[in-house]
């Protein structure tokens, strides 16, 4: 039987593992942001725009 993802991650170089985990976190955050209702997405985008100006 194949090895689990956790087993494979455990054998990686620590730097590479950290990069993979950071990208995983970024993608999960991006996914969760796309799951928000459209009104909430607009409000957050407006908040970001006001911080730039």
């Amino acid at each position: 039987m194949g090895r689990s993802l956790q087993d494979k991650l455990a054998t990686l170089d620590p730097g590479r593992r950290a990069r993979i985990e950071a990208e995983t976190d970024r993608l999960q955050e991006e996914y969760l942001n796309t799951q928000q209702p459209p009104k909430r997405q607009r409000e957050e985008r407006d908040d970001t725009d006001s911080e730039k100006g």
Side-chain angles (χ1 to χ4, degrees), residues 6-36:
Q6 291 299 322
D7 292 341
K8 290 180 181 184
L9 283 173
T11 63
L12 292 176
D13 171 71
R16 184 171 184 204
R17 181 178 178 165
R19 289 190 304 273
I20 290 170
E21 290 172 343
E23 180 67 0
T24 301
D25 292 342
R26 185 190 70 79
L27 290 171
Q28 184 175 16
E29 183 69 24
E30 185 176 321
Y31 171 77
L32 291 174
N33 286 338
T34 64
Q35 300 305 304
Q36 295 176 359

Side-chain angles (χ1 to χ4, degrees), residues 31-48:
Y31 171 77
L32 291 174
N33 286 338
T34 64
Q35 300 305 304
Q36 295 176 359
K39 182 177 185 230
R40 173 96 187 247
Q41 288 179 4
R42 279 194 306 274
E43 290 171 356
E44 287 184 1
R45 193 169 42 247
D46 292 344
D47 290 345
T48 303

